mmCIF file of all heavy atoms in Angstrom:
data_model
loop_
_atom_site.group_PDB
_atom_site.id
_atom_site.type_symbol
_atom_site.label_atom_id
_atom_site.label_comp_id
_atom_site.label_asym_id
_atom_site.label_seq_id
_atom_site.Cartn_x
_atom_site.Cartn_y
_atom_site.Cartn_z
ATOM 1 N N LYS A 135 -11.206 1.063 18.615
ATOM 2 C CA LYS A 135 -12.093 2.100 19.160
ATOM 3 C C LYS A 135 -11.568 3.446 18.694
ATOM 4 O O LYS A 135 -10.446 3.829 19.116
ATOM 5 C CB LYS A 135 -12.113 2.022 20.661
ATOM 6 C CG LYS A 135 -12.820 0.808 21.246
ATOM 7 C CD LYS A 135 -12.995 0.952 22.778
ATOM 8 C CE LYS A 135 -13.296 -0.399 23.388
ATOM 9 N NZ LYS A 135 -12.117 -1.040 23.978
ATOM 10 N N PRO A 136 -12.317 4.186 17.895
ATOM 11 C CA PRO A 136 -11.802 5.463 17.423
ATOM 12 C C PRO A 136 -11.881 6.556 18.477
ATOM 13 O O PRO A 136 -12.668 6.411 19.445
ATOM 14 C CB PRO A 136 -12.742 5.773 16.229
ATOM 15 C CG PRO A 136 -14.028 5.091 16.610
ATOM 16 C CD PRO A 136 -13.661 3.876 17.400
ATOM 17 N N ILE A 137 -11.111 7.600 18.296
ATOM 18 C CA ILE A 137 -11.168 8.745 19.244
ATOM 19 C C ILE A 137 -12.499 9.450 19.066
ATOM 20 O O ILE A 137 -13.190 9.772 19.993
ATOM 21 C CB ILE A 137 -9.968 9.696 19.016
ATOM 22 C CG1 ILE A 137 -8.663 8.946 19.263
ATOM 23 C CG2 ILE A 137 -10.114 10.945 19.887
ATOM 24 C CD1 ILE A 137 -7.426 9.691 18.773
ATOM 25 N N LYS A 138 -12.815 9.751 17.774
ATOM 26 C CA LYS A 138 -14.099 10.396 17.479
ATOM 27 C C LYS A 138 -15.022 9.351 16.816
ATOM 28 O O LYS A 138 -14.570 8.641 15.911
ATOM 29 C CB LYS A 138 -13.935 11.564 16.523
ATOM 30 C CG LYS A 138 -13.432 12.814 17.217
ATOM 31 C CD LYS A 138 -13.438 13.976 16.217
ATOM 32 C CE LYS A 138 -12.438 15.040 16.616
ATOM 33 N NZ LYS A 138 -11.903 15.788 15.481
ATOM 34 N N LYS A 139 -16.254 9.333 17.201
ATOM 35 C CA LYS A 139 -17.192 8.336 16.660
ATOM 36 C C LYS A 139 -17.184 8.338 15.128
ATOM 37 O O LYS A 139 -17.255 9.386 14.508
ATOM 38 C CB LYS A 139 -18.605 8.667 17.190
ATOM 39 C CG LYS A 139 -19.535 7.505 17.122
ATOM 40 C CD LYS A 139 -20.851 7.795 17.869
ATOM 41 C CE LYS A 139 -21.795 6.637 17.637
ATOM 42 N NZ LYS A 139 -22.946 6.966 16.800
ATOM 43 N N ASN A 140 -17.105 7.129 14.581
ATOM 44 C CA ASN A 140 -17.191 6.954 13.113
ATOM 45 C C ASN A 140 -16.130 7.634 12.309
ATOM 46 O O ASN A 140 -16.261 7.826 11.102
ATOM 47 C CB ASN A 140 -18.565 7.375 12.583
ATOM 48 C CG ASN A 140 -19.676 6.536 13.147
ATOM 49 O OD1 ASN A 140 -19.464 5.351 13.452
ATOM 50 N ND2 ASN A 140 -20.837 7.140 13.314
ATOM 51 N N GLN A 141 -15.023 8.040 12.963
ATOM 52 C CA GLN A 141 -13.925 8.704 12.206
ATOM 53 C C GLN A 141 -12.603 8.015 12.532
ATOM 54 O O GLN A 141 -12.394 7.568 13.666
ATOM 55 C CB GLN A 141 -13.853 10.162 12.604
ATOM 56 C CG GLN A 141 -15.001 10.975 12.069
ATOM 57 C CD GLN A 141 -14.849 12.466 12.363
ATOM 58 O OE1 GLN A 141 -13.747 12.974 12.314
ATOM 59 N NE2 GLN A 141 -15.932 13.078 12.716
ATOM 60 N N VAL A 142 -11.742 7.984 11.527
ATOM 61 C CA VAL A 142 -10.420 7.444 11.728
ATOM 62 C C VAL A 142 -9.374 8.462 11.238
ATOM 63 O O VAL A 142 -9.481 8.909 10.084
ATOM 64 C CB VAL A 142 -10.178 6.116 10.971
ATOM 65 C CG1 VAL A 142 -8.761 5.576 11.251
ATOM 66 C CG2 VAL A 142 -11.237 5.087 11.370
ATOM 67 N N GLY A 143 -8.437 8.813 12.075
ATOM 68 C CA GLY A 143 -7.326 9.662 11.665
ATOM 69 C C GLY A 143 -6.135 8.711 11.452
ATOM 70 O O GLY A 143 -5.739 8.005 12.388
ATOM 71 N N MET A 144 -5.597 8.717 10.246
ATOM 72 C CA MET A 144 -4.595 7.691 9.921
ATOM 73 C C MET A 144 -3.356 8.393 9.290
ATOM 74 O O MET A 144 -3.506 9.212 8.355
ATOM 75 C CB MET A 144 -5.294 6.766 8.901
ATOM 76 C CG MET A 144 -4.464 5.785 8.184
ATOM 77 S SD MET A 144 -5.598 4.645 7.281
ATOM 78 C CE MET A 144 -4.412 3.953 6.122
ATOM 79 N N TYR A 145 -2.207 8.054 9.831
ATOM 80 C CA TYR A 145 -0.971 8.613 9.324
ATOM 81 C C TYR A 145 -0.087 7.472 8.842
ATOM 82 O O TYR A 145 0.136 6.519 9.564
ATOM 83 C CB TYR A 145 -0.260 9.404 10.423
ATOM 84 C CG TYR A 145 0.996 10.129 9.969
ATOM 85 C CD1 TYR A 145 0.951 11.447 9.587
ATOM 86 C CD2 TYR A 145 2.206 9.446 9.895
ATOM 87 C CE1 TYR A 145 2.098 12.101 9.151
ATOM 88 C CE2 TYR A 145 3.372 10.083 9.463
ATOM 89 C CZ TYR A 145 3.302 11.443 9.074
ATOM 90 O OH TYR A 145 4.422 12.073 8.662
#
Side-chain angles (χ1 to χ4, degrees):
K135 291 190 197 100
I137 298 166
K138 281 188 205 149
K139 199 169 174 249
N140 297 329
Q141 289 184 38
V142 182
M144 170 172 161
Y145 185 95

